[in-house]
Amino acid sequence: MPATSHSSSAKPPAAERILVLTGGSSGIGAELVSALSAEWRITSLDLTPPAHPQPGVAYANGDITTNSAVESLHEVLEYGSDTKIDAVVHCAGIGKFGPFLQMSRADWERLLTVNLHGTLNFVQGIADQVADGGRIVLFSSGTVFKAPAGAAAYAASKAGIIGFARSLAAELGARDITVNVIAPGLVVTPLSESIAAGEDANISTRAIKRAATTADFVEPVRFFLSPGASFVSGQTLVVDGGSIRR
């Protein structure tokens, strides 16, 4: 299906720093769009538009596993394909959980296609537009380190993002572009609804014994985007209330 695009009717925010964010229609991505829209000129890319668009944010629809994703962005970006982007935050992804030995090949291939190959495809398609001194923030998962049963394929898809980010940081460092990763613990969003029943057990393993919220990821992302993080690159920050301590 060809990509479509639209933007909210409100005027864009005064901020001129340009941020492209994927997965902004729900979950952590939607929270970031809401929190950062006053500071950044945001274009959000997702497979479907949000139910409640954030005023001042432009929305593009596209599949990150195809070239149509970047093409859809260019249709929405008022400043065109030649204008440099100051930051990219890539949240888009899917989840699928269950015993690996019973998981169909189609299911684990879909996880790898969207979570890992989609990340490679999207970042490769937009990296040339990132300004020197820019920021790239990718999302992995705490399951990479915690390695719970029933998450083998998902953890594999998210582990690849960490390896990719470390290598990409070395490639883009000459342009002073930082590449870092946020690895969330379990936070109940549409992506994780199928494993939400394990929330109480997950909380019991945390140093901070409460449920995670999407708001918990705003300040970690804001740090990676900030001038203060200009000398931090190739790093993975686990945000899970201290369930994983390393």
Side-chain angles (χ1 to χ4, degrees):
M1 180 180 295
T4 60
S5 60
H6 67 91
S7 61
S8 60
S9 58
K11 293 181 180 179
E16 289 302 317
R17 293 182 300 170
I18 297 168
L19 168 64
V20 168
L21 183 144
T22 70
S25 292
S26 65
I28 294 172
E31 183 75 37
L32 292 172
V33 167
S34 177
L36 299 174
S37 60
E39 306 158 38
W40 295 82
R41 189 174 180 179
I42 298 178
T43 296
S44 172
L45 173 74
D46 213 334
L47 197 59
T48 58
H52 305 287
Q54 177 72 20
V57 173
Y59 291 90
N61 301 339
D63 183 346
I64 60 170
T65 68
T66 70
N67 292 336
S68 69
V70 174
E71 293 169 1
S72 180
L73 274 176
H74 291 163
E75 292 174 9
V76 171
L77 296 176
E78 297 175 2
Y79 36 85
S81 61
D82 294 332
T83 301
K84 292 299 183 181
I85 295 165
D86 297 292
V88 174
V89 178
H90 178 56
C91 298
I94 61 171
K96 181 73 176 182
F97 304 95
F100 178 70
L101 296 184
Q102 280 77 55
M103 183 176 285
S104 70
R105 183 180 181 118
D107 281 345
W108 58 257
E109 283 189 344
R110 179 63 178 161
L111 281 171
L112 290 169
T113 296
V114 175
N115 292 348
L116 180 55
H117 299 168
T119 298
L120 301 177
N121 181 69
F122 179 72
V123 172
Q124 188 179 61
I126 203 169
D128 284 346
Q129 278 189 260
V130 178
D132 291 355
R135 304 282 188 266
I136 297 176
V137 180
L138 307 178
F139 269 74
S140 178
S141 171
T143 58
V144 173
F145 307 102
K146 203 166 187 177
Y154 179 73
S157 71
K158 291 295 190 175
I161 291 172
I162 293 173
F164 167 64
R166 291 172 177 172
S167 183
L168 187 65
E171 290 192 27
L172 298 183
R175 294 171 51 198
D176 291 331
I177 296 172
T178 66
V179 184
N180 291 293
V181 179
I182 300 287
L186 176 61
V187 53
V188 179
T189 67
L191 183 148
S192 61
E193 283 178 347
S194 65
I195 56 171
E199 175 72 342
D200 289 344
N202 207 286
I203 291 172
S204 71
T205 69
R206 295 173 178 164
I208 301 171
K209 298 192 182 300
R210 65 165 175 82
T213 70
T214 55
D216 289 320
F217 303 92
V218 172
E219 295 305 321
V221 169
R222 188 177 268 131
F223 166 67
F224 279 144
L225 297 179
S226 72
S230 64
F231 204 53
V232 179
S233 196
Q235 304 305 308
T236 298
L237 178 60
V238 178
V239 183
D240 71 347
S243 179
I244 298 164
R245 298 180 287 276
R246 58 188 182 89

